[in-house]
Amino acid sequence: MARKIIIDTDPGQDDAVAILLALASPEEIKVLGITAVAGNVPLALTAKNARIVCELAGRPDVPVYAGCDRPLGRKLVTAEHVHGKTGLNGPVLPDPVMPLQDGHAVDFIIETLRREDAGAVTLCPLGPLTNIAMAFEKAPDIMDRVAGIVLMGGAYFEVGNITPAAEFNIYVDPQAADIVFKSGVDITVMPLDVTHKALVTRARNDAFRALGNRVGVAVAEMTDFFERFDKEKYGSEGAPLHDPCVTAYLIRPELFSGRHINVEIETRSELTLGMTVADWWRVTDRAPNAMFMGDVDADGFFALLTERLARL
Ligand code: RIB
Ligand code: CA
């Protein structure tokens, strides 16, 4: 029975791959809709890019909604230095024909959770948590209807990628992250500790290109583009596929391992704003509130991803 999900996203090349993997896996995943949020690039672009990716997957039927255009209480910080001016630099892809749905993404999230059975819908945020937090604030009744949240964000051993202490998705909207992590909803976190182990090496990029379909070539071109930031900064072997770890977890959770621990968000200090303070060693008596992943079977992950992308 496929799991019903809403993907909340700020595409972003890695968001794009996460969406493609989800749309290529109908046995395991039913995408009820995609909600765009401001993050890697401004909202107008993330809402456009989400539709470009749906059409690349041959799925113009997927409802795409635009959500919040800025964090709850701060100025928007974007990441064009990583993802390029459009947010999807790399492949040349046509502008979307499919329209945005009317209505705000936050209302789509609320209405969907109220309409579907309690415990039927999983939320999969791949960007800043603004839309999710707004939905919880506007309609607290939906929190105990959510089956769970599987998100990409945060870092502990890997520390920050946008500041020395914070990972981008949490840093952009720490207040929203604090609301989500304190919501009591079952949360699974894919932090940089895991995603930095899912690197698109040359061989893995070649395997995408060798698929011979439009999607394979586009994914190879996307990762070719967005790997430069991480290769330069970390000297890593290739682009870390952050967001596809969320989708892969929904399909094959056994690829990942971690601990159920307490994770809290720094929301006050300018020095460590957005840090996910993960009590990995359980040194406090703070109640565990998240399954915080620490490791991934990278070969298994790429085998799954490549096999599924071949279907599109
Ligand atoms: O820090 C990595 C995260 O920030 C990923 O979700 C990437 O798409 C950006 O949103
Ligand atoms: Ca993202």
Side-chain angles (χ1 to χ4, degrees):
M1 174 76 164
R3 192 200 295 235
K4 292 178 179 177
I5 74 169
I6 294 173
I7 298 176
D8 189 72
T9 177
D10 64 334
Q13 290 87 349
D14 59 317
D15 303 65
V17 181
I19 294 166
L20 291 169
L21 177 54
L23 296 178
S25 307
E27 306 86 1
E28 296 92 350
I29 296 172
K30 179 173 173 45
V31 179
L32 298 180
I34 294 178
T35 51
V37 67
N40 284 321
V41 286
L43 178 68
L45 283 174
T46 59
K48 175 181 175 186
N49 293 341
R51 287 176 286 152
I52 289 175
V53 176
C54 288
E55 292 185 345
L56 175 63
R59 293 293 308 280
D61 59 297
V62 177
V64 176
Y65 292 81
C68 298
D69 64 0
R70 69 179 66 83
L72 293 185
R74 297 172 54 80
K75 219 168 75 58
L76 176 63
V77 169
T78 52
E80 285 88 350
H81 61 291
V82 178
H83 298 276
K85 189 114 186 58
T86 72
L88 265 191
N89 287 48
V92 177
L93 296 168
D95 281 355
V97 173
M98 65 188 277
L100 267 180
Q101 298 297 312
D102 294 337
H104 195 284
V106 169
D107 295 324
F108 169 72
I109 292 168
I110 293 167
E111 285 150 23
T112 303
L113 282 165
R114 285 179 174 160
R115 182 189 69 244
E116 296 289 336
D117 295 345
V121 179
T122 300
L123 300 178
C124 299
L126 309 177
L129 290 162
T130 317
N131 287 341
I132 311 300
M134 280 282 277
F136 287 179
E137 293 286 285
K138 188 172 177 184
D141 60 288
I142 66 172
M143 286 191 281
D144 59 17
R145 300 183 66 81
V146 179
I149 294 174
V150 184
L151 67 88
M152 190 278 141
Y156 186 58
F157 293 100
E158 199 64 14
V159 292
N161 61 356
I162 185 82
T163 74
E167 176 278 327
F168 179 80
N169 287 340
I170 309 298
Y171 176 73
V172 169
D173 198 341
Q175 214 178 326
D178 192 42
I179 289 167
V180 170
F181 276 77
K182 284 180 179 156
S183 66
V185 173
D186 181 81
I187 297 178
T188 300
V189 182
M190 293 290 162
L192 297 180
D193 304 39
V194 164
T195 67
H196 279 187
K197 295 173 183 167
L199 301 176
V200 184
T201 59
R202 181 47 42 206
R204 289 165 177 165
N205 186 283
D206 291 345
F208 293 149
R209 211 176 282 273
L211 288 176
N213 58 359
R214 215 165 45 122
V215 164
V217 172
V219 167
E221 291 170 342
M222 284 183 204
T223 51
D224 267 343
F225 179 86
F226 110 100
E227 73 174 14
R228 20 182 266 306
F229 172 77
D230 287 80
K231 282 178 100 164
E232 212 169 286
K233 174 171 178 178
Y234 295 97
S236 57
E237 287 175 74
L241 276 187
H242 307 289
D243 297 335
C245 287
V246 169
T247 320
Y249 176 80
L250 297 174
I251 301 167
R252 288 192 55 201
E254 70 278 8
L255 289 172
F256 300 88
S257 61
R259 288 183 185 179
H260 191 239
I261 56 172
N262 177 270
V263 179
E264 302 213 0
I265 311 297
E266 176 57 66
T267 57
R268 288 189 298 273
S269 151
E270 275 307 315
L271 180 64
T272 55
L273 190 73
M275 181 174 185
T276 45
V277 182
D279 189 4
W280 184 265
W281 304 112
R282 297 189 174 97
V283 296
T284 76
D285 56 2
R286 294 197 292 259
N289 61 333
M291 184 63 193
F292 196 82
M293 292 302 177
D295 207 356
V296 59
D297 165 2
D299 287 333
F301 168 75
F302 277 95
L304 172 70
L305 177 57
T306 308
E307 171 238 315
R308 293 295 164 101
L309 292 179
R311 296 176 169 186
L312 294 174

